């Protein structure tokens, strides 16, 4: 018998974006594989389901502070995994990656500032930059030997005009996990970004 973590889920008929959205949005039937969205088809780890079940069983759903324990857990994970000291008070809550990115762009840049992205990239990266009236500076990835790579020449030109760089890691949709060499190059170049 497969361990519970390796059981796939049949999510049809559960208002699943990936499977039921096929019909609702695209009027397609089930002979199509919905590879357009990175939605999950494997069961969540039992420890997570159990913690959620126990929390729901309290019947208490009032407004809740972001818990100190959660802040400390994230900070401790960064220290153990990356030897990086992150002040627990600096760990903030966001109800998704895109709202989090939006807050970062609003906090660190002004209207008209340049922000670098690397297309093709998850569409909200484009939308949140233009929606917040920042200048979208694209440094498109290039294909080499059947895989996408950073185009460092273009990236340097764009970073010289930019205030912020939105790194997508691992990169959606090209499926790259950036190498240490690539990431070091990006970090080295942050000094060329405009700071005023
Ligand atoms: C690069 C990237 N960021 C964010 C998201 C969505 O994150 P969240 O569900 O936390 O909003 C996705 C989903 O596919 C993604 O590919």
């Amino acid at each position: 018998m497969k361990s519970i973590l390796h059981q796939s889920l049949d999510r049809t008929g559960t208002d699943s974006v990936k499977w039921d959205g096929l019909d609702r949005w695209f009027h397609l039937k089930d002979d199509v594989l919905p590879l357009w969205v990175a939605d999950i088809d494997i069961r969540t780890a039992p420890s997570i389901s159990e913690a959620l079940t126990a929390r729901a069983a309290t019947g208490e759903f009032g407004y809740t502070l972001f818990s100190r324990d959660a802040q400390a857990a994230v900070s401790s994970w960064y220290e153990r995994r990356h030897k990086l000291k992150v002040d627990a008070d600096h760990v903030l809550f966001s109800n998704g990656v895109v709202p989090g990115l939006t807050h970062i762009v609003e906090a660190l840049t002004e209207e008209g500032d340049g922000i670098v992205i690397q297309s093709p990239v998850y569409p909200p990266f484009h939308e949140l930059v233009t929606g917040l009236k920042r200048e979208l500076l694209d440094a498109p990835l290039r294909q080499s030997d059947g895989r996408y790579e950073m185009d460092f020449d273009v990236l340097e030109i764009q970073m010289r005009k930019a205030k912020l760089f939105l790194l997508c890691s691992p990169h959606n949709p090209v499926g790259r996990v950036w190498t240490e060499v690539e990431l070091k190059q990006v970090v080295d170049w942050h000094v060329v970004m405009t700071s005023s």
Side-chain angles (χ1 to χ4, degrees), residues 37-38 95-99 101 122 125 168 170 172:
V37 62
N95 60 356
V97 170
V98 177
L101 278 178
Y122 184 56
F125 279 46
C168 191
N172 178 8

Side-chain angles (χ1 to χ4, degrees), residues 121-132:
V121 69
Y122 184 56
F125 279 46
H126 300 246
E127 291 152 11
L128 74 93
V129 171
T130 55
L132 292 169

